[in-house]
Amino acid sequence: MHAVVLGDSAVRLWGLTAAERIQRQLRSQGIELCAGGIETLPPDSTLLMLRGDCLYDDRVIRGLVKARTVLLEVDDDGEVFPAAAHVAIKDAQRVGERLRDGRVPLAESDVATVGVAQVAQGFEMGLRKLDRPTVLRIGAERQAVLEQLLFSGAYKGVTDLVTKWLWPAPAQQVTRWCVRGGITPNQVTAMSLVLVMVALALFARGDYGWGLLAGWIMTFLDTVDGKLARVTVTSTPLGNIFDHGIDLIHPPLWYLAWGMGLALSDASIWGFALPVIYSVIFATYIGGRLCEGAFQLWVARFSIFTWRPFDSYFRLVVARRNPSMIMLTAGLCVGRPDLGLLAVAAWHALSMGILVVRLLQGAGARLCGKAVESWFTQIGQTVNERALAVRVFTHAAAGMRKI
């Protein structure tokens, strides 16, 4: 299918005009822009038409792609206007006139008028979050609010406590600096990789203070690169592999290097030989990751951490890099880096145990014919909209802030 962008806005959001953003969104979904006139397209094809003065949620564009012969009308703070359409070529000219000037009637037509809720759903599995899909007009008076909306929308709803509550404010400022300086997400990821190696070398030498500094900066940049990619619509398959590959591999190597630093002065922690501690960490780290993958492969298509509110709370502190870094930092602060590593090993073992139990419970429910559904999809039904979990992990309780 092909698409056209009608008009543009001079207001730039995270360095992009509205038309530039829409074009990148379309390319990321494999949709070709119509280079020539509509008359050059096959008569039996369809055309996706988007106004160039609007900010579109990716979910809305994906929903419109699946829809046929529809005109999307949007209520933006009480003003209803036509924002996009997906129609047959024969209807494109008159629907385009309607999009350019909302007062132009469609007359008698088989083009159905729909709202955002009819083409897009709130639960976004990839980012493990629930919020309301939006289409908003872009204006200079709301530039700051729209940029904040884009940045907030780039965040996962369910993640660890550091990423969720500590990094957002500074990450937003650094992301802005990157946009102004023309720094790409892959360049930020490459810097993260350098810091991974620096922290690894420092831990192995027993220079834990400097190693932790390098490590914490790396974890911060790991937040920045993803947000930068999303707000500038520059995510690529290679970039995702680069970023997630680093995230997956380096944590247990850091713990190994931490133990190597300890071995310079002692070969055991409270009677536990370092190889035993290494084995526990590596086995349970891999085991926990396998449990997460097995849940999505055999039990449900969503993350195990979005199955029940308990699982989302558990994701805040599960044995991943950032919670483990807190333990290592706390151990160093009390002068016992050895106990920090022991705590990491114990927490990995306990976390994997909980994940195994949850996986077995999910598999058991599936075998008994029970529906295994994410609690996000049950808000307002079996999950109270005012529940604490809804307030912590979604925007559904308060609704979308007025723009």
Side-chain angles (χ1 to χ4, degrees), residues 363-400:
R366 184 73 182 271
L367 289 174
C368 292
K370 298 179 181 178
V372 180
E373 299 175 334
S374 169
W375 72 271
F376 283 88
T377 64
Q378 301 302 305
I379 295 174
Q381 301 176 42
T382 60
V383 177
N384 192 315
E385 293 181 356
R386 297 183 179 181
L388 178 61
V390 176
R391 297 198 299 271
V392 171
F393 297 107
T394 81
H395 302 295
M400 195 190 76

Side-chain angles (χ1 to χ4, degrees), residues 43 45-47 69 86-93 111:
S45 63
T46 61
L47 184 67
T69 321
H86 185 186
V87 296
I89 294 299
K90 64 181 180 64
D91 297 317
Q93 183 172 350
V111 177

Side-chain angles (χ1 to χ4, degrees), residues 13-171:
L13 302 178
W14 293 107
L16 299 176
T17 67
E20 289 170 339
R21 179 175 300 279
I22 294 168
Q23 289 166 10
R24 291 187 183 187
Q25 288 176 291
L26 293 172
R27 282 196 295 268
S28 70
Q29 298 186 39
I31 301 172
E32 295 183 31
L33 287 167
C34 181
I38 296 175
E39 63 277 1
T40 63
L41 299 176
D44 59 344
S45 63
T46 61
L47 184 67
L48 179 64
M49 311 175 76
L50 302 162
R51 287 177 53 143
D53 61 348
C54 292
L55 176 64
Y56 295 89
D57 192 302
D58 283 335
R59 291 166 291 181
V60 174
I61 295 178
R62 289 196 296 266
L64 283 170
V65 169
K66 297 176 183 178
R68 290 290 187 275
T69 321
V70 296
L71 172 69
L72 175 66
E73 288 194 343
V74 173
D75 183 346
D76 185 357
D77 201 15
E79 179 187 358
V80 178
F81 67 95
H86 185 186
V87 296
I89 294 299
K90 64 181 180 64
D91 297 317
Q93 183 172 350
R94 55 198 176 96
V95 172
E97 293 173 355
R98 170 74 173 172
L99 289 172
R100 291 186 180 93
D101 185 349
R103 294 168 295 183
V104 174
L106 276 179
E108 291 187 10
S109 172
D110 58 355
V111 177
T113 300
V114 298
V116 172
Q118 293 171 272
V119 297
Q121 296 182 347
F123 180 51
E124 192 167 4
M125 186 171 65
L127 291 178
R128 299 195 292 269
K129 68 176 185 178
L130 178 70
D131 54 17
R132 194 167 70 187
T134 57
V135 176
L136 299 167
R137 267 184 170 163
I138 296 174
E141 74 284 355
R142 51 166 63 170
Q143 180 180 11
V145 177
L146 291 175
E147 288 193 333
Q148 177 63 54
L149 183 67
L150 281 169
F151 187 82
S152 299
Y155 254 88
K156 290 181 178 178
V158 179
T159 185
D160 68 85
L161 72 171
V162 175
T163 302
K164 188 171 185 63
W165 288 309
L166 182 60
W167 289 154

Side-chain angles (χ1 to χ4, degrees), residues 200-261:
L200 191 72
L202 290 170
F203 290 156
R205 292 174 48 187
D207 291 335
Y208 295 124
W210 291 110
L212 284 170
L213 178 61
W216 278 118
I217 295 174
M218 181 272 161
T219 69
F220 174 71
L221 293 181
D222 187 38
T223 289
V224 171
D225 61 4
K227 308 308 166 288
L228 178 61
R230 293 188 186 103
V231 299
T232 58
V233 200
T234 50
S235 296
T236 64
L238 181 60
N240 284 331
I241 292 173
F242 186 25
D243 182 30
H244 291 119
I246 294 172
D247 292 346
L248 184 66
I249 294 171
H250 83 268
L253 297 180
W254 274 2
Y255 312 143
L256 175 62
W258 189 280
M260 291 171 63

Side-chain angles (χ1 to χ4, degrees), residues 262-324:
L262 293 174
L264 296 176
S265 58
D266 195 354
S268 67
I269 304 174
W270 279 8
F272 294 98
L274 284 173
V276 173
I277 295 176
Y278 299 152
S279 299
V280 169
I281 291 176
F282 274 80
T284 54
Y285 177 81
I286 295 171
R289 291 286 189 160
L290 290 176
C291 285
E292 295 173 36
F295 185 90
Q296 285 191 271
L297 182 62
W298 294 321
V299 179
R301 295 303 179 189
F302 53 83
S303 168
I304 192 172
F305 298 114
T306 60
W307 181 22
R308 294 286 185 268
F310 165 82
D311 302 301
S312 297
Y313 283 118
F314 182 50
R315 178 62 181 87
L316 292 171
V317 295
V318 71
R320 291 285 187 88
R321 179 195 60 210
N322 288 353
S324 296

